[in-house]
């Protein structure tokens, strides 16, 4: 199961990277975190369960620097989601030092002939206790190497817990953050951090037992922990698929309106996580962007292009895609696919009522309205209006 879940997570992360490379940098940090953790899962699978010296030789030790980047990637994602920013600070360079040191330390092992690595892998498969005697890093032993990774990641997880608690425990929260989106992001961060806490804690126990006793005994006695950590890993990975809204982050307006006098400390507000108050459309901090999107759609008509995507709005308006997604989902109260179909059908009806069907075929009208094929135009038109374009024309002629 570990191997298949890890491969699935890598594929999901690559899709995440492709869709968010120029749009949502925080999603990139999350994708890099998931890819790195998946490589760890694959390497662990070939060490404990795999019977292939070749694949163990490929994955063993070569990707360990990525495992030391798990903590930084997690921190950048959580911090960026909480603050709605993707920028790294100069001090963030220090988060990469452990991975750089480790990368330098494995150079001697990496430069060994692959045939020697296959021999090492064969020895580990025949007797997993031999793994403690592999000289995989110039600076420290294998036992220290195994301990450093979960301990370092657990430290980052605890710090991210503190950031989340600090962000959501205050009563004077930023009023420019939409509460619905805030709740979605808060729940996702809790799922992510709690799942990771269980996974890393369990692997730390497994690692400690394997070093204190020996791997063959520690790994066998820790099988129930493997099951629990596997379930937690599945929950974390499949949450991305089941709840795509978690990728929107916590949107905040880039250009904020002038604020009134600040409230005094004596005035108390209800914590945002405990109460989700109903606010009018005009009071939403994204109302200005909402109007901008409506005007953009009406004037530019980007939906007339066959390959119109939500990222086109974000790029043209120079705003984050997660902000656009929020406006469509919560302020327009629809899905992007539904909005696109409605706009195209509205344009097609406008052409039909102007008599364009006397000059153009129905298929041509569909293409002018943004539909790639005649069948897609017909099916969408009937779904939206209740009858086909031909039937609509007949009714239109009868009414004249």
């Amino acid at each position: 199961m570990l191997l298949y879940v890890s491969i699935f997570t890598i594929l999901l992360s690559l899709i995440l990277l492709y869709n968010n490379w120029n749009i949502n940098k925080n999603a990139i940090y999350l994708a890099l975190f998931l890819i790195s953790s998946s490589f760890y899962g694959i390497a662990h699978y070939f060490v404990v369960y795999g019977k292939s010296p070749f694949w163990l030789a490929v994955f063993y030790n070569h990707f360990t620097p990525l495992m030391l980047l798990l903590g930084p990637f997690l921190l950048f994602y959580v911090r960026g989601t909480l603050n709605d920013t993707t920028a790294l600070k100069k001090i963030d360079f220090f988060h990469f030092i452990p991975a750089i040191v480790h990368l330098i330390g494995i150079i001697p092992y990496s430069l060994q002939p692959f045939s020697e690595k296959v021999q090492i892998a064969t020895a580990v498969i025949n007797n997993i206790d031999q793994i403690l005697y592999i000289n995989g890093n110039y600076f420290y032993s294998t036992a220290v190497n195994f301990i450093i990774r979960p301990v370092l990641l657990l430290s980052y997880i605890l710090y991210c817990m503190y950031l989340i608690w600090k962000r959501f425990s205050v009563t004077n929260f930023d009023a420019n953050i939409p509460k619905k989106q805030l709740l979605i992001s808060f729940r996702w961060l809790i799922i992510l951090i709690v799942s990771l806490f269980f996974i890393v804690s369990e692997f730390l126990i497994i690692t400690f037992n394997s070093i204190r006793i020996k791997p063959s005994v520690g790994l066998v006695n820790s099988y129930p922990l493997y099951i629990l950590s596997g379930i937690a890993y599945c929950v974390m990975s499949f949450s991305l698929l089941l709840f795509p809204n978690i990728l929107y982050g916590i949107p905040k307006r880039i250009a904020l309106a002038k604020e009134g006098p600040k409230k005094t400390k004596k005035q108390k507000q209800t914590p945002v996580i405990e109460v989700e108050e109903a606010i009018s459309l005009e009071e939403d901090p994204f109302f200005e962007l909402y109007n901008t999107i409506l005007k953009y759609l009406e004037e530019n008509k980007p939906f007339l292009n066959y390959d119109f995507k939500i990222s086109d709005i974000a790029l043209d308006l120079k705003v984050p895609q997660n902000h656009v997604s929020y406006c469509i989902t919560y302020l327009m109260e629809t899905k992007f696919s539904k909005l696109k179909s409605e706009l195209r059908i509205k344009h097609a009806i406008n052409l039909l009522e102007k008599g364009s069907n006397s000059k153009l075929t129905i298929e041509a009208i569909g293409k002018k309205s943004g539909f790639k094929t005649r069948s897609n135009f017909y099916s969408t038109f009937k779904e939206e209006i209740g009858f086909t374009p031909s039937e609509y024309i007949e009714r239109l002629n009868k009414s004249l």
Side-chain angles (χ1 to χ4, degrees):
M1 182 180 70
L2 179 61
L3 178 63
Y4 296 120
V5 173
S6 297
I7 293 174
F8 169 80
T9 304
I10 289 176
L11 294 175
L12 188 64
S13 302
L14 291 175
I15 295 173
L16 195 61
L17 275 174
Y18 176 78
N19 290 329
N20 292 278
W21 187 257
N22 294 316
I23 302 298
N24 187 357
K25 299 295 183 183
N26 284 325
I28 295 174
Y29 295 138
L30 177 60
L32 292 176
F33 173 84
L34 293 173
I35 290 173
S36 301
S37 63
S38 297
F39 273 108
Y40 180 79
I42 293 173
H44 189 81
Y45 169 82
F46 284 117
V47 169
V48 180
Y49 303 108
K51 301 298 180 182
S52 171
F54 173 82
W55 287 112
L56 180 55
V58 170
F59 282 94
Y60 182 77
N61 206 35
H62 292 111
F63 299 100
T64 45
L66 287 177
M67 300 169 194
L68 293 173
L69 289 175
L70 288 173
F73 287 149
L74 178 65
L75 173 62
F76 300 155
Y77 172 70
V78 172
R79 186 182 66 188
T81 300
L82 293 174
N83 299 330
D84 194 33
T85 180
T86 59
L88 296 181
K89 307 171 186 177
K90 290 183 179 179
I91 197 172
D92 287 330
F93 168 77
F94 291 99
H95 294 290
F96 295 95
I97 291 178
I100 294 173
V101 171
H102 188 82
L103 178 62
I104 296 172
I106 66 171
I107 289 177
Y109 176 85
S110 301
L111 295 178
Q112 290 185 55
F114 188 74
S115 58
E116 293 183 13
K117 297 175 185 176
V118 172
Q119 292 177 3
I120 294 172
T122 303
V124 171
I125 290 173
N126 293 332
N127 182 9
I128 197 171
D129 292 337
Q130 294 296 317
I131 199 170
L132 293 177
Y133 304 104
I134 298 174
N135 186 19
N137 194 291
Y138 179 79
F139 298 115
Y140 35 75
S141 66
T142 301
V144 174
N145 184 15
F146 285 171
I147 287 291
I148 285 176
R149 284 175 279 176
V151 168
L152 188 62
L153 179 54
L154 186 61
S155 301
Y156 274 97
I157 291 172
L158 293 174
Y159 181 64
C160 288
M161 284 183 175
Y162 166 74
L163 291 179
I164 295 171
W165 171 81
K166 183 180 178 182
R167 174 64 186 80
F168 290 102
S169 64
V170 296
T171 56
N172 58 333
F173 63 94
D174 191 344
N176 288 294
I177 300 177
K179 297 178 184 179
K180 289 182 180 179
Q181 192 68 15
L182 182 64
L183 286 169
I184 290 172
S185 298
F186 173 74
R187 290 162 185 162
W188 158 241
L189 290 177
I190 292 299
I191 291 174
L192 175 66
I193 294 299
V194 171
S195 299
L196 287 174
F197 179 79
F198 277 106
I199 294 170
V200 177
S201 298
E202 289 159 4
F203 269 90
L204 187 57
I205 294 172
I206 294 172
T207 303
F208 178 76
N209 289 335
S210 299
I211 294 174
R212 184 175 62 89
I213 310 172
K214 56 182 181 179
S216 58
V217 177
L219 292 174
V220 171
N221 294 339
S222 303
Y223 185 74
L225 293 179
Y226 273 120
I227 299 299
L228 292 175
S229 60
I231 293 173
Y233 191 69
C234 287
V235 169
M236 180 186 70
S237 299
F238 282 93
S239 292
L240 287 171
L241 192 62
L242 299 176
F243 307 104
N245 280 342
I246 60 180
L247 301 179
Y248 294 166
I250 304 178
K252 188 187 300 181
R253 284 194 306 178
I254 295 176
L256 300 177
K258 293 183 179 180
E259 300 178 356
K262 293 184 177 180
K263 296 182 179 181
T264 61
K265 292 183 178 180
K266 293 183 179 180
Q267 291 176 308
K268 293 184 178 180
Q269 297 179 353
T270 305
V272 64
I273 297 306
E274 296 180 3
V275 178
E276 185 179 354
E277 299 175 1
I279 60 174
S280 65
L281 185 64
E282 291 78 9
E283 292 174 328
D284 193 286
F286 276 76
F287 181 67
E288 183 180 341
L289 178 59
Y290 159 79
N291 282 326
T292 302
I293 293 173
L294 290 179
K295 184 178 179 181
Y296 165 78
L297 293 173
E298 182 180 353
E299 294 180 354
N300 294 64
K301 294 182 172 34
F303 51 86
L304 299 182
N305 297 324
Y306 299 147
D307 57 349
F308 174 53
K309 301 182 292 293
I310 193 171
S311 58
D312 296 334
I313 303 177
L315 291 172
D316 288 347
L317 297 182
K318 294 180 174 57
V319 296
Q321 182 174 320
N322 54 328
H323 295 190
V324 178
S325 299
Y326 175 85
C327 290
I328 293 174
T329 303
Y330 295 107
L331 301 188
M332 298 182 189
E333 297 182 341
T334 187
K335 295 181 179 179
F336 175 71
S337 57
K338 179 72 172 175
L339 175 65
K340 182 168 58 175
S341 296
E342 289 176 350
L343 291 171
R344 286 174 172 174
I345 294 301
K346 182 180 178 181
H347 183 79
I349 288 177
N350 186 47
L351 291 177
L352 291 172
E353 291 180 348
K354 286 183 177 179
S356 297
N357 59 300
S358 61
K359 302 177 182 178
L360 300 172
T361 63
I362 294 179
E363 183 177 359
I365 290 177
K367 288 185 176 182
K368 277 186 168 292
S369 301
F371 294 97
K372 198 168 186 178
T373 63
R374 174 189 173 93
S375 60
N376 183 237
F377 176 45
Y378 263 73
S379 60
T380 305
F381 196 99
K382 187 170 184 178
E383 182 180 348
E384 293 290 332
I385 306 303
F387 31 85
T388 66
S390 300
E391 293 171 342
Y392 184 84
I393 293 172
E394 290 178 8
R395 290 170 178 260
L396 196 63
N397 291 334
K398 289 179 181 179
S399 64
L400 294 177

